[in-house]
Amino acid sequence: MRLYSGLNITSTGDMTFPCNMTMPYQANIQVLGRFTVDNSIIKSIQNDWGGITVKSGGLLVLNGTTISDYNITVEAGGSLIIKGSLVMSGNHAITVQSGGYLCVETGTTVQLTDYNSVIKIGEGSLNGVNPALSISSSCISNPSAIIPSGNGAIADFNQDMYIQNLTISASRYIGGKNIYVGNHVTTGQTAGDVKINSGANVIFDCKTTTFDAGFECVQGSSYEVKNH
């Protein structure tokens, strides 16, 4: 199917896409009711489209889909359920903001193909589904514990990250509340230097980043610090 404008699902709306859908350039989908992507793909025939925003009281269910040309934002009070399988590629993200809800169901497989394909669990976000929706779902207790296939990452901005005793030879995205990098920034890991090898680009996304002794970025590599 093909849409020729954006889509607004009102608070009383309940829509399911059981087939592939083509969106017009820059159009977006606003979800205040319930919207299910059921083993289908939404994309644009031109370039990236405006993506999906889940508003307060809205619910987005991704039941088997591939994301390759849009982003998803879950605002405070909105809910996202990921089930079946999720594949994401390119410079695209699922962002759950403070007060938003994320439920990854037991048995879900996640492939984040590229290093900047990221699921961002915002500081102050909540695990599960908004209780006001009265929906029962089998959510795993800690979505950030999922180890996705591919080069992407699940970044939990509720937790500090400690990077120690590590050689990074491929481009990576590393996200956390605060990030500490060095050869002895925590007693919870084996002491050792952190080195970014030539050809690798590393993105540190956090509130604050502390680079301590034992951090080396060799010639031909790079790193970038983002402050969310």
Side-chain angles (χ1 to χ4, degrees):
M1 295 183 65
R2 182 175 181 177
L3 292 183
Y4 290 89
S5 66
L7 181 62
N8 184 20
I9 301 172
T10 65
S11 59
T12 57
D14 188 347
M15 176 172 285
T16 298
F17 278 3
C19 59
N20 293 345
M21 181 68 65
T22 300
M23 297 292 295
Y25 177 59
Q26 294 186 335
N28 59 17
I29 297 175
Q30 302 278 327
V31 182
L32 289 89
R34 179 168 178 166
F35 179 47
T36 302
V37 181
D38 189 11
N39 291 292
S40 60
I41 298 172
I42 310 173
K43 61 181 182 179
S44 171
I45 60 173
Q46 294 174 305
N47 291 296
D48 290 9
W49 55 281
I52 302 174
T53 301
V54 186
K55 313 294 284 186
S56 179
L59 171 63
L60 171 64
V61 181
L62 300 179
N63 181 24
T65 191
T66 296
I67 296 173
S68 62
D69 61 356
Y70 68 98
N71 300 312
I72 294 174
T73 301
V74 182
E75 297 182 350
S79 300
L80 169 63
I81 297 176
I82 302 174
K83 57 196 296 187
S85 65
L86 171 68
V87 179
M88 188 157 59
S89 62
N91 184 16
H92 297 104
I94 294 174
T95 302
V96 184
Q97 297 180 349
S98 178
Y101 292 81
L102 172 63
C103 169
V104 180
E105 288 201 348
T106 304
T108 299
T109 61
V110 178
Q111 178 182 327
L112 304 175
T113 306
D114 303 297
Y115 81 97
N116 49 8
S117 306
V118 184
I119 297 176
K120 301 180 181 181
I121 303 174
E123 185 178 1
S125 61
L126 302 162
N127 186 46
V129 179
N130 189 339
L133 300 178
S134 301
I135 293 174
S136 176
S137 193
S138 177
C139 311
I140 66 172
S141 59
N142 183 12
S144 64
I146 295 173
I147 301 176
S149 61
N151 297 317
I154 298 176
D156 189 348
F157 296 119
N158 295 288
Q159 301 181 18
D160 291 339
M161 287 287 293
Y162 299 90
I163 313 301
Q164 183 170 296
N165 189 34
L166 181 67
T167 297
I168 302 175
S169 299
S171 295
R172 286 185 60 181
Y173 174 101
I174 299 173
K177 186 175 182 179
N178 301 289
I179 297 178
Y180 302 86
V181 185
N183 58 18
H184 199 242
V185 292
T186 177
T187 58
Q189 301 175 16
T190 303
D193 292 346
V194 176
K195 180 179 180 181
I196 303 178
N197 276 338
S198 178
N201 175 56
V202 178
I203 297 174
F204 297 105
D205 192 354
C206 54
K207 279 188 170 180
T208 64
T209 308
T210 301
F211 295 103
D212 210 337
F215 171 64
E216 180 183 5
C217 184
V218 306
Q219 185 175 3
S221 66
S222 64
Y223 70 92
E224 175 186 357
V225 176
K226 294 183 176 181
N227 299 111
H228 63 267

